[in-house]
Amino acid sequence: MGRNLRAVFALLLAFFLCLIPKAEATENLRVGYVPGTGFLEEDSPGHLIGSGFEYMEFLAGFGNWNMVYIPCVNWWEAVDKLSKNEIDILPGMPGDYSTVPFAKRTDHVVARFPMELVLHENLASRHLRIGVLDYGYPIPNLPAVALENAFTYELVTFHDYADLKIHYTARQLDGYVAPMLRTPDEGRVVALFDRVSYRLLIRTDRPDLYNKVNDAMDQLLMNQPNIRNRLRDKYDRSQGLPLVLEPDEKAFLQQKKHFRAAVYMPHKPFLYKDEESGEWQGVTAVLLEQLEKDLDIEIEIVEGDSLENLKRLVARGTVDFVADVPCDFSWLKELGLSPTQSFRTIDYTPIIRKGFPLPQNPKVAVIEEIFPTQISVKENYSPNQIIYCHSMEECFRAVSNGRADVTYAPRSVVPYLMEGSFTYNLEALTESFYRENISLGVSTQADPRLWRILDKEITHLPPNFTQNVVLQEGTEIAYSFSPRWMIYHYPLLTTVGLFVIMGLIIGVMYYRYYMRRRHMMAIQQMAYMDNRYQLPNMLWLEQEIKGIWEEATRQEPDSHIYVAVFDLSSRDSMLELYSRHSLDKRLRETAMHLQEEDWVLQTAAGINTLQLVAVCQAATMEEMVSNAAEAVNHYGYIEHDSARISLHIKVGLCEMKSDTMLLMSEEKADMACRKIMGTMDIVKLYDEKMDKYLHLEQHIESSMGQALADGEFAVWYQAQYDIMTRRIVGAESLIRWQSKEMGFLSPDKFMPSLEMNGFIIPLDHFVLKQVMMVQKHRLTNGQELLPISVNQSRLHITEDGYLRRMKDLIEKYQLPPGTIQLEIPESMFANFNQKSYRDHAVFLMDSLHKAGYGIILDNFGGGAASLTLLDYLPLDGIKISASILYAAQNSDGMKEVLSSMIVLGQKLGLNVMVGGIETVEQEQMLLSMGCHTGQGFLNSRPVPKAKFIELLKERNGE
């Protein structure tokens, strides 16, 4: 049963399928073509292009064909394939079709191309070899072209176009004649003539195919009547056609050379002046520049602000042509102009207000005299609907403010007009109201050749030439923003942005005010506060002293005001034993304790480090001294490892006679403090006897620089000798000052001041140069060189450029290593326990030693320097302090210390010397301990250079 049902169903289905009409089957149509002709090409495998290819594909739709393209080597091979029925149709064969008797041409022309004469540039001969193809091109006008261009010729026939091009490229031909399918790659087109028709060839024995192809071509042309022109523009004019001028046209251009052009549409992006350079810019300017380049002429732009002015310029012959006018012969005749063919199309678009639809009878704002108004607007609007304006900007403003409902403008001009008229509430509709073709308008008074030349030039330009320029110009408006534009387009965003900007401005102003205030506070703090101790400094105290004085004298008018300077008596040893941070902390605490005392009015940081200044009040001098001593006992210690260790604070006092004498009183108190340094006294009151010392110190500081320049400082020498033989083994250089005003000054009078104010640094360098000159003189004269030591201040450890200066000196004088020895005091290494300081000191000493200086550790044992210096520093010798020698004379314990120091130095391979020898007993004691080198008054006092040289001759036998 099921089988029968399925059979019945299958029969019914077959019956219904038979009733459905069958679609006509697609027929393959074999199309022959010759590559390289430009009519039909294969630019990549399987991809065909060309005007012939597109034409055949459109034709296939009307004939229900599937085109199959078969390449041929040349036209003769294509004809042969057609004769053998290997192809069905042959499109685009040029030449005399009578050469193909077995084929018949279609009724309609596929394309028409002029013949082109292409010649090489700069031909030497006027008799030319011109190549032609044997297809039988009709070229009857070639003799006239030759006559016009003043040459004779002979024709060379080729069977293959490719072969012709090979001979032409190799310059075996002067030129060739062929249909102009594309712009030539090289050479120049001299003439265009004798247009050739391209048709389709079909065998005569296939009338059905012939009739079907003709019918399909009829339908194609009815549906696409402009297909030939469109394909010609797309392929043949895409790169522009050659510009071929007649001899008389060339002569006219050479004679005329300079032309003047007016402008009909002076708007962006068509034509405008650059605001900075004043040069013409825009599409029309680019077009005119191209005309100048192609025609080798000069074009001057003449401004015309209205149509009436344009008429006057043309009528008077002031201009030769107008650059951009509507392509309308009737309208331009009234202006005295003739249009060339069109080179640009402009779409006029409606401009309305945003959010306002057009009413039924809208009012339109226009310029009365322009072409669109005459041709289109007046035909579509009644006179009472039209509002006339003087410019496009006025038309836009009329719509913007509601006086009109609509206006019309070229689409590419709209953004610029909105920007220029500030009418951001307008918008352009998408549909065009009117399309206008633009051409060059040539004056009817001008030479007729000018019209022909400009018309050919327009043909020479690619169709998209001006459109590309419009696109480039149009990008400018995209970045032309203004506040008004932003408000119209983005009101909320603009409002928020304005608030943000205002907030930023206020924030920046507040920040600048805040930072200025902070900077002023920081400057004030730097000026009036000591950053190290976080205490007011002397500058602040000087500003406030008047108020402090008045308050103190008001409360206790019979009391006295004193300035007290609290200073560490042995700051170098303190710094070595304790960190700077610990001492600074303790000094701040001491200042706080002093400030809490009733007799202390104000404390401040002193000018020097580890120094406090206090303004105090007491009834009597005795009470002031007692208060200061008691304060030292209470606060002058530091706690270390649960032990209280004295800081050895010394106090200098000076009574302040008035509130204007703070600084002078502080100097005197500081002088009194220095007077008791190294003594057991704690407090010292300034007295008048110290004025002489203060005067001397001030005089020293004021005259030391000039004294060095005037040669008042001199280098003396003290011999270092062998204790057993009395032979001189070296010397120490010492500085002496013979002042013109103060007389002879011993070092103890001026050295402390120079050490404190830093003048010791240039003085040390002076001594070093003098010693080097002495050694260089002895070396040059062949005399014995004994090492001479030069003292170096502890300040050199922080001197900028110290190492460089020392190396420069040793390189300048070229002395043997070790002949100059540097006596380095232990005090230079006060902070040796700090790694950064220690690394710097070791690097400095190593560098000096490698440069050729001997390194001697001076006053060894006299201070509190660590014995680790002997390990870290590159020492050549040590000079044991005279204080150890003096103490060893009266103490067996110190004698053992001295002996141990000598043995220690010798075991380390160092030269050991003892200074300060004054008695024979001291010499004998040193010899018994194994020390053979000494220095002191017993052997020789410091003497000038000349006396030292005499002593050297006497002792050493020179």
Side-chain angles (χ1 to χ4, degrees):
M1 184 71 178
R3 244 179 233 178
N4 295 331
L5 287 174
R6 282 197 295 272
V8 172
F9 179 74
L11 288 172
L12 291 173
L13 180 61
F15 175 74
F16 282 113
L17 288 175
C18 291
L19 295 178
I20 298 175
K22 291 184 179 180
E24 186 178 354
T26 302
E27 178 185 359
N28 287 334
L29 195 63
R30 296 167 298 173
V31 181
Y33 73 97
V34 179
T37 61
F39 187 63
L40 198 155
E41 301 283 350
E42 186 177 18
D43 63 342
S44 60
H47 186 263
L48 296 173
I49 60 172
S51 58
F53 169 69
E54 283 201 28
Y55 186 93
M56 295 305 295
E57 287 298 311
F58 277 114
L59 188 64
F62 292 97
N64 195 28
W65 292 304
N66 176 42
M67 299 296 185
V68 179
Y69 298 94
I70 299 175
C72 304
V73 175
N74 51 43
W75 289 113
W76 294 115
E77 181 181 341
V79 169
D80 184 57
K81 287 182 181 291
L82 182 64
S83 66
K84 294 178 181 179
N85 209 23
E86 295 177 6
I87 60 175
D88 301 309
I89 189 169
L90 180 60
M93 178 179 174
D96 186 358
Y97 292 101
S98 62
T99 59
V100 191
F102 59 86
K104 187 177 183 180
R105 297 184 299 168
T106 56
D107 295 340
H108 298 288
V109 175
V110 176
R112 296 195 59 164
F113 298 99
M115 301 296 288
E116 61 177 355
L117 172 61
V118 180
L119 298 180
H120 284 299
E121 297 282 356
N122 303 319
L123 293 173
S125 174
R126 301 309 296 172
H127 183 75
L128 309 181
R129 285 169 51 85
I130 298 177
V132 294
L133 294 170
D134 56 2
Y135 308 147
Y137 292 133
I139 49 175
N141 287 333
L142 182 58
V145 172
L147 181 63
E148 193 174 57
N149 289 274
F151 67 82
T152 59
Y153 64 90
E154 60 178 295
L155 298 179
V156 181
T157 304
F158 288 86
H159 190 64
D160 190 349
Y161 180 77
D163 189 30
L164 182 148
K165 287 300 295 289
I166 291 173
H167 280 72
Y168 174 78
T169 304
R171 298 190 75 92
Q172 296 174 6
L173 293 175
D174 299 310
Y176 64 86
V177 174
M180 192 184 69
L181 298 175
R182 60 173 69 177
T183 302
D185 299 327
E186 57 185 13
R188 60 190 178 93
V189 179
V190 176
L192 299 177
F193 53 91
D194 298 336
R195 292 174 61 84
V196 178
S197 298
Y198 278 54
R199 299 173 185 262
L200 304 182
L201 290 181
I202 302 171
R203 288 168 55 92
T204 54
D205 57 357
R206 299 187 65 179
D208 294 339
L209 177 60
Y210 177 80
N211 293 329
K212 187 175 181 180
V213 170
N214 265 332
D215 292 340
M217 294 178 76
D218 284 337
Q219 295 179 57
L220 175 60
L221 290 175
M222 283 189 291
N223 284 274
Q224 298 185 41
N226 64 336
I227 186 171
R228 291 193 309 188
N229 292 334
R230 183 173 57 79
L231 293 177
R232 178 172 176 267
D233 287 342
K234 179 178 180 180
Y235 289 99
D236 304 328
R237 287 198 58 195
S238 60
Q239 302 299 323
L241 296 180
L243 178 62
V244 181
L245 299 179
E246 303 296 334
D248 65 325
E249 295 170 348
K250 295 177 183 179
F252 167 72
L253 292 178
Q254 290 298 318
Q255 180 182 2
K256 177 75 173 174
K257 201 67 177 178
H258 185 84
F259 295 87
R260 306 184 78 186
V263 180
Y264 177 64
M265 290 184 291
H267 296 287
K268 276 190 177 183
F270 300 133
L271 188 72
Y272 59 95
K273 274 191 176 181
D274 184 74
E275 295 179 358
E276 296 182 1
S277 64
E279 297 181 355
W280 290 104
Q281 305 285 338
V283 181
T284 304
V286 174
L287 172 67
L288 295 179
E289 289 175 5
Q290 189 65 37
L291 295 184
E292 289 181 321
K293 178 181 177 182
D294 292 342
L295 301 177
D296 191 23
I297 59 175
E298 297 177 358
I299 299 176
E300 177 188 354
I301 297 178
V302 179
E303 296 185 62
D305 54 2
S306 65
L307 191 61
E308 288 299 323
N309 189 22
L310 195 65
K311 289 180 180 179
R312 286 194 294 269
L313 292 174
V314 175
R316 294 173 182 174
T318 306
V319 297
D320 300 293
F321 64 95
V322 181
D324 47 0
V325 293
C327 188
D328 187 282
F329 283 87
S330 297
W331 188 73
L332 288 180
K333 276 186 179 180
E334 299 180 5
L335 298 178
L337 300 172
S338 295
T340 64
Q341 61 175 302
S342 172
F343 61 85
R344 182 171 67 238
T345 300
I346 294 178
D347 289 327
Y348 279 79
T349 184
I351 310 299
I352 63 172
R353 277 175 296 168
K354 293 179 182 178
F356 288 86
L358 285 176
Q360 187 174 1
N361 295 309
K363 291 188 176 182
V364 57
V366 294
I367 302 175
E368 182 176 9
E369 57 190 11
I370 65 174
F371 181 70
T373 302
Q374 303 294 330
I375 300 301
S376 181
V377 174
K378 290 185 177 181
E379 292 182 358
N380 291 277
Y381 293 91
S382 61
N384 60 347
Q385 291 179 271
I386 301 176
I387 299 174
Y388 293 109
C389 303
H390 295 92
S391 65
M392 293 299 300
E393 289 84 354
E394 186 180 345
C395 292
F396 272 55
R397 284 191 288 268
V399 178
S400 177
N401 58 34
R403 192 160 62 94
D405 300 305
V406 66
T407 188
Y408 300 95
R411 188 181 300 278
S412 55
V413 177
V414 172
Y416 300 98
L417 290 174
M418 286 185 180
E419 181 75 17
S421 58
F422 301 104
T423 53
Y424 300 118
N425 62 331
L426 302 182
E427 63 179 347
L429 300 182
T430 56
E431 295 297 327
S432 297
F433 169 74
Y434 170 72
R435 174 166 291 182
E436 181 177 79
N437 293 319
I438 302 300
S439 64
L440 300 178
V442 183
S443 173
T444 54
Q445 302 178 30
D447 191 299
R449 289 174 290 183
L450 177 60
W451 181 90
R452 295 200 302 269
I453 293 170
L454 294 181
D455 192 68
K456 290 180 179 181
E457 171 65 15
I458 296 304
T459 306
H460 174 61
L461 297 175
N464 58 349
F465 175 79
T466 55
Q467 280 76 3
N468 291 337
V469 180
V470 171
L471 289 175
Q472 293 174 3
E473 290 286 332
T475 58
E476 178 187 341
I477 195 66
Y479 301 96
S480 180
F481 298 113
S482 66
R484 194 165 178 178
W485 185 91
M486 288 293 295
I487 291 173
Y488 271 111
H489 288 80
Y490 305 100
L492 180 61
L493 182 62
T494 304
T495 304
V496 173
L498 289 175
F499 276 110
V500 170
I501 293 172
M502 291 176 62
L504 288 174
I505 294 173
I506 294 172
V508 169
M509 293 176 64
Y510 175 77
Y511 176 76
R512 293 188 63 181
Y513 166 76
Y514 172 75
M515 292 303 297
R516 181 181 177 85
R517 185 178 177 186
R518 282 194 60 182
H519 290 161
M520 291 300 296
M521 292 176 64
I523 292 172
Q524 188 174 14
Q525 184 173 5
M526 291 173 61
Y528 296 117
M529 292 291 291
D530 187 281
N531 290 329
R532 181 170 177 176
Y533 301 114
Q534 295 300 306
L535 293 172
N537 59 18
M538 289 300 296
L539 182 60
W540 179 87
L541 190 58
E542 187 179 9
Q543 297 285 338
E544 301 295 327
I545 190 63
K546 185 174 182 180
I548 296 171
W549 177 282
E550 292 176 354
E551 180 66 19
T553 54
R554 184 179 61 79
Q555 292 183 0
E556 298 183 25
D558 296 332
S559 63
H560 299 273
I561 307 297
Y562 294 88
V563 175
V565 174
F566 294 77
D567 199 346
L568 268 71
S569 61
S570 303
R571 58 170 66 105
D572 291 338
S573 60
M574 289 296 103
L575 285 171
E576 185 169 343
L577 291 172
Y578 311 107
S579 68
R580 187 179 297 272
H581 174 73
S582 299
L583 292 177
D584 291 345
K585 180 181 178 183
R586 185 55 188 162
L587 224 64
R588 284 195 297 270
E589 293 173 352
T590 302
M592 293 174 58
H593 291 312
L594 288 174
Q595 192 66 48
E596 294 173 355
E597 297 287 345
D598 294 337
W599 52 276
V600 177
L601 302 176
Q602 184 62 52
T603 58
I607 296 175
N608 298 319
T609 58
L610 297 176
Q611 191 179 80
L612 293 175
V613 175
V615 178
C616 310
Q617 187 176 28
T620 63
M621 177 185 65
E622 291 76 10
E623 180 183 348
M624 184 65 242
V625 172
S626 174
N627 290 340
E630 186 176 356
V632 171
N633 291 330
H634 284 173
Y635 313 125
Y637 63 86
I638 187 171
E639 292 186 355
H640 185 71
D641 294 336
S642 302
R644 299 179 68 177
I645 303 172
S646 174
L647 292 175
H648 303 287
I649 293 179
K650 304 296 183 180
V651 184
L653 298 175
C654 179
E655 184 177 358
M656 192 167 63
K657 301 297 184 180
S658 70
D659 59 3
T660 61
M661 299 180 63
L662 173 66
L663 296 181
M664 184 179 294
S665 301
E666 188 273 338
E667 288 182 4
K668 293 179 177 180
D670 182 57
M671 184 185 301
C673 186
R674 279 184 281 150
K675 279 293 184 181
I676 56 175
M677 290 292 181
T679 69
M680 299 301 293
D681 295 334
I682 297 176
V683 182
K684 178 70 174 178
L685 184 68
Y686 176 83
D687 56 37
E688 298 300 328
K689 294 179 182 179
M690 296 181 187
D691 277 343
K692 183 177 180 181
Y693 177 77
L694 178 62
H695 177 73
L696 177 62
E697 189 176 66
Q698 292 174 343
H699 199 170
I700 286 173
E701 291 189 1
S702 63
S703 59
M704 58 189 181
Q706 190 61 41
L708 182 61
D710 294 343
E712 295 182 5
F713 288 99
V715 179
W716 287 23
Y717 299 85
Q718 186 176 19
Q720 298 169 346
Y721 68 103
D722 187 310
I723 298 175
M724 290 186 65
T725 65
R726 320 297 291 180
R727 181 180 176 83
I728 297 175
V729 296
E732 179 183 4
S733 57
L734 302 167
I735 192 71
R736 295 295 183 266
W737 188 356
Q738 182 65 47
S739 174
K740 297 177 182 178
E741 299 180 0
M742 297 175 285
F744 183 81
L745 298 176
S746 59
D748 61 313
K749 290 185 178 180
F750 63 83
M751 289 297 287
S753 297
L754 302 190
E755 186 80 25
M756 185 174 295
N757 60 35
F759 191 73
I760 191 66
I761 290 179
L763 198 60
D764 280 353
H765 288 297
F766 166 76
V767 174
L768 183 60
K769 289 181 182 179
Q770 296 297 315
V771 172
M772 284 188 168
M773 286 191 290
V774 170
Q775 293 288 63
K776 185 66 175 180
H777 178 75
R778 293 181 64 81
L779 178 65
T780 304
N781 294 332
Q783 296 173 315
E784 180 185 11
L785 283 184
L786 299 176
I788 300 178
S789 61
V790 180
N791 290 287
Q792 296 292 285
S793 169
R794 61 187 176 86
L795 300 180
H796 288 298
I797 197 78
T798 56
E799 178 191 351
D800 289 338
Y802 173 63
L803 184 59
R804 178 181 52 78
R805 294 181 65 180
M806 297 295 283
K807 287 182 177 179
D808 289 346
L809 284 174
I810 203 75
E811 291 176 2
K812 177 180 178 181
Y813 290 99
Q814 295 292 312
L815 297 174
T819 54
I820 301 294
Q821 296 183 334
L822 303 178
E823 291 197 12
I824 310 299
E826 283 188 349
S827 59
M828 181 178 284
F829 309 102
N831 297 328
F832 203 71
N833 59 328
Q834 299 178 11
K835 185 179 184 305
S836 60
Y837 184 91
R838 181 171 64 250
D839 292 344
H840 174 64
V842 170
F843 169 76
L844 195 62
M845 294 300 111
D846 279 338
S847 300
L848 291 173
H849 194 264
K850 290 176 181 177
Y853 291 100
I855 307 297
I856 307 296
L857 186 60
D858 191 19
N859 198 33
F860 183 71
S866 171
L867 291 175
T868 56
L869 290 174
L870 299 177
D871 180 44
Y872 276 100
L873 302 181
L875 298 175
D876 295 289
I878 57 175
K879 181 187 284 189
I880 297 175
S881 172
S883 62
I884 304 295
L885 176 63
Y886 301 150
Q889 285 184 291
N890 302 314
S891 170
D892 292 338
M894 290 304 297
K895 188 177 293 184
E896 290 295 329
V897 171
L898 176 59
S899 178
S900 299
M901 294 173 69
I902 293 172
V903 172
L904 174 63
Q906 291 174 345
K907 284 187 176 182
L908 292 175
L910 302 176
N911 181 29
V912 180
M913 180 190 303
V914 178
I917 300 176
E918 296 180 350
T919 65
V920 176
E921 290 77 15
Q922 291 172 344
E923 284 185 336
Q924 295 301 319
M925 181 176 62
L926 291 175
L927 287 174
S928 67
M929 294 178 180
C931 180
H932 295 271
T933 308
Q935 178 181 340
F937 285 178
L938 178 65
N939 176 66
S940 172
R941 290 177 177 272
V943 295
K945 179 179 70 172
K947 288 188 177 182
F948 175 73
I949 298 299
E950 293 178 3
L951 180 64
L952 190 61
K953 291 179 180 179
E954 178 185 341
R955 293 281 183 89
N956 292 12
E958 289 192 1

